[in-house]
Amino acid sequence: MNKSIVIGSTLAVLGLGGLAVGAYQVQTFERAPTYADILSVDAVTRSVETPREVCEDVVVHQQAPSRDPNRLLGTAAGAVVGGVLGNQVGGGSGKKLATVAGAVGGGLAGREVQGRVEANQGRTTTQRQCNTVVDTHQEHEGYDVEYRFEDRVYSVRLEDAPQGNQVLMEDGVPQWNVREG
């Protein structure tokens, strides 16, 4: 065999082998990790309303029904007493005028007295009164997160807030639960 053919063939085999080894190393070479930038993290809550019944004992005064709603008895009794007292004052025509004035004044006073007496009549009881009140509180729903990867902005809702201002990406997918050590 020609020496140059053997050397050329050997160099070709070694060259192809080197090329194959180089290609293998390129395929298995670990690339530097890629990250997405976290743009914003907003806590998400919702209002929850819970109705409940609240009861309390209240003192209630119940007015007794009036047997004389127009207060005629008090007016009449006051007019009689006022007339008798007015009659005791003065003499002649002044006596008549004093009697009329006493009757009118006594009638008004008797009506007022009867109203006050009836207002104090009745009974006081304790009643249970209930009403509904609404308690409101906030419940945590998660975090709305915006991040940028390869010039595109993405949004996602997470249960926990991400740490830091970047997230590790693997094959275009954010690895939210991976902690860098």
Side-chain angles (χ1 to χ4, degrees):
M1 253 197 180
N2 188 351
K3 196 175 179 181
S4 58
I5 292 178
V6 171
I7 291 175
S9 297
T10 304
L11 287 175
V13 168
L14 289 175
L16 287 175
L19 186 61
V21 168
Y24 174 77
Q25 286 179 343
V26 166
Q27 286 179 352
T28 61
F29 179 73
E30 285 192 34
R31 289 178 267 154
T34 58
Y35 293 90
D37 292 324
I38 296 174
L39 303 175
S40 67
V41 178
D42 296 317
V44 178
T45 59
R46 68 181 176 105
S47 292
V48 177
E49 294 182 344
T50 307
R52 64 182 172 94
E53 188 175 58
V54 176
C55 297
E56 61 184 351
D57 293 330
V58 178
V59 176
V60 177
H61 180 76
Q62 293 176 332
Q63 182 69 37
S66 177
R67 291 177 290 189
D68 183 14
N70 294 321
R71 300 186 212 159
L72 296 176
L73 184 62
T75 304
V80 169
V81 171
V84 168
L85 290 175
N87 192 34
Q88 301 298 317
V89 177
S93 65
K95 191 173 213 156
K96 290 179 187 177
L97 190 58
T99 302
V100 171
V104 171
L108 293 174
R111 179 178 174 83
E112 183 66 25
V113 168
Q114 182 180 354
R116 289 184 185 176
V117 168
E118 286 181 356
N120 291 330
Q121 292 178 348
R123 62 185 181 131
T124 301
T125 60
T126 301
Q127 293 181 351
R128 188 119 177 114
Q129 293 182 352
C130 299
N131 59 354
T132 301
V133 296
V134 177
D135 294 330
T136 303
H137 69 279
Q138 299 294 316
E139 283 188 0
H140 176 74
E141 294 221 329
Y143 295 89
D144 283 342
V145 178
E146 280 192 351
Y147 62 97
R148 178 181 291 125
F149 181 64
E150 295 179 348
D151 295 328
R152 288 192 60 200
V153 176
Y154 301 89
S155 296
V156 66
R157 180 166 290 174
L158 301 174
E159 188 173 311
D160 298 314
Q163 302 298 313
N165 56 4
Q166 291 185 323
V167 61
L168 177 65
M169 300 294 286
E170 286 184 7
D171 298 323
V173 178
Q175 304 300 306
W176 296 108
N177 296 325
V178 174
R179 302 270 189 243
E180 302 258 339

